[in-house]
Structure formats: C-alpha cells, structure tokens
Amino acid sequence: MSEITEKIKQSAETFEERIIEIRRTTKVTKGGKNLSFRVLAVVGNRDGKVGVGVGKAREVPDAIRKALVSARKNVIEVPVVKGTIPHEVVGKQDAAKILMKPAAPGTGIIANGTVRAILELAGVQNVLTKAMGSTNPVVMAQATINGIKNLYPIEKIAALRDITPAQVVRGVKKEG
C-alpha cells in the first residue's frame, strides 16, 4: 500500500464529510444516452483543515467514494483567528469570484450553501461572504479554496512587515 493511501486512511477518522451536490449528467451517443453522476464533496476537521473533491461515475455510490478520496487528497490548511479569517480576501476561479471578510463573534457564516459547507468544515464560525459572477457549485467551491489559499496567518504578515503580531491587529503608531 502506498504512503498516500495510508495517510488518507489515517486521516479518515478525524475528518467530517459532507456532500454538497449530486448531479446527473447525460452524454448523447449514437446508441442512446449514457447517464453518469458527478458528486461534489467536502472534508474537514473543523480545526483549520479542509479539502474539496469532485467524483464522476456511472453510479452514485462510486461517485461519492471518488469525490471523498479526491477531497482527502486535496486538504489544505486554513488560518483561523478567534473563529474568523485573519483578513479580507477574494477567491477567483473562471467566472466565479467570492469575497470573504472577517466578522465579529456572533455573526455566523453568511454565505451560500457551497461556501458555507467549506467554511464550516474548515472551522470558521464568523465570516461574511459575497458571491459575484458564476454561482455554479463546483466553480464556487474552487474559488473558495483559492481564496483560502491566499489567507496568511497574522504571524506571517508580522514577519513580512518586521512588526509584532499585536501591531498588525491594532495598527502601527506613526512617529513624528
């Protein structure tokens, strides 16, 4: 068994799984119509790790299994600060754009179904989002992941700017 499949099996216990969409697709051929299914799935541990995957197969259970395996392979880290994201970010994928803004405690996740599922399983509790352009679930999921990849932890921003993390949050006082 390869190292990747072992890693996937070990992480299976800790990740929560959610199916976002099951869509029936049809290919018209000379002999008739070929039906297949496309599944969009999300896995996450509600503690800063989330992955999205798409699976296609002739039967729904096979498509779900493929989507979950794909999602576990594509797990990324999400910097979560006090239940929200560290800063505003825009994720883009094809014609879809998703704007994500940090929110105060008690706000909740203000988002469409696809983005909500991803952010919930990532462990984000308060965030404001706005979907612009395409709202196709697969493209929105990828745009959300692209936005999350562009999030930086406060410590990394502080190191890049040569200031303390507290100064990043509160602002730097001007001299003179």
Side-chain angles (χ1 to χ4, degrees), residues 11 14-18 20 41-53 67-80 85 100 109 114-124 141-149 151:
S11 66
T14 60
F15 283 128
E16 190 178 320
E17 303 167 348
R18 190 170 300 172
I20 296 177
V42 182
V43 296
N45 64 355
R46 293 186 182 263
D47 193 29
K49 287 189 177 184
V50 70
V52 173
L68 292 173
V69 167
S70 172
R72 284 195 197 97
K73 280 184 188 172
N74 299 319
V75 170
I76 60 169
E77 291 276 339
V78 182
V80 179
I85 56 177
M100 293 180 272
I109 299 175
T114 306
V115 179
R116 174 184 297 273
I118 294 168
L119 293 175
E120 272 180 8
L121 293 181
V124 178
Q142 204 55 51
T144 306
I145 292 295
N146 291 344
I148 289 171
K149 284 179 182 174
L151 287 173

Side-chain angles (χ1 to χ4, degrees), residues 92-114:
K92 296 178 187 174
Q93 176 70 32
D94 299 334
K97 279 181 15 181
I98 180 81
L99 168 69
M100 293 180 272
K101 288 183 171 186
T107 305
I109 299 175
I110 311 295
N112 69 17
T114 306

Side-chain angles (χ1 to χ4, degrees), residues 8-26:
I8 290 170
K9 284 185 178 178
Q10 288 173 353
S11 66
E13 301 105 37
T14 60
F15 283 128
E16 190 178 320
E17 303 167 348
R18 190 170 300 172
I19 305 299
I20 296 177
E21 178 194 46
I22 299 176
R23 177 162 286 182
R24 191 180 81 177
T25 59
T26 311

Side-chain angles (χ1 to χ4, degrees), residues 4 17 34-36 48 53 61 64 66-67 72 87 92 95 98 104 122 125 136 141-142 153 161 172 176:
I4 295 172
E17 303 167 348
N34 287 340
L35 292 178
S36 64
I64 290 173
K66 286 181 180 182
R72 284 195 197 97
H87 56 85
K92 296 178 187 174
I98 180 81
Q125 294 157 354
N136 176 310
Q142 204 55 51
R161 294 171 55 190
V172 181

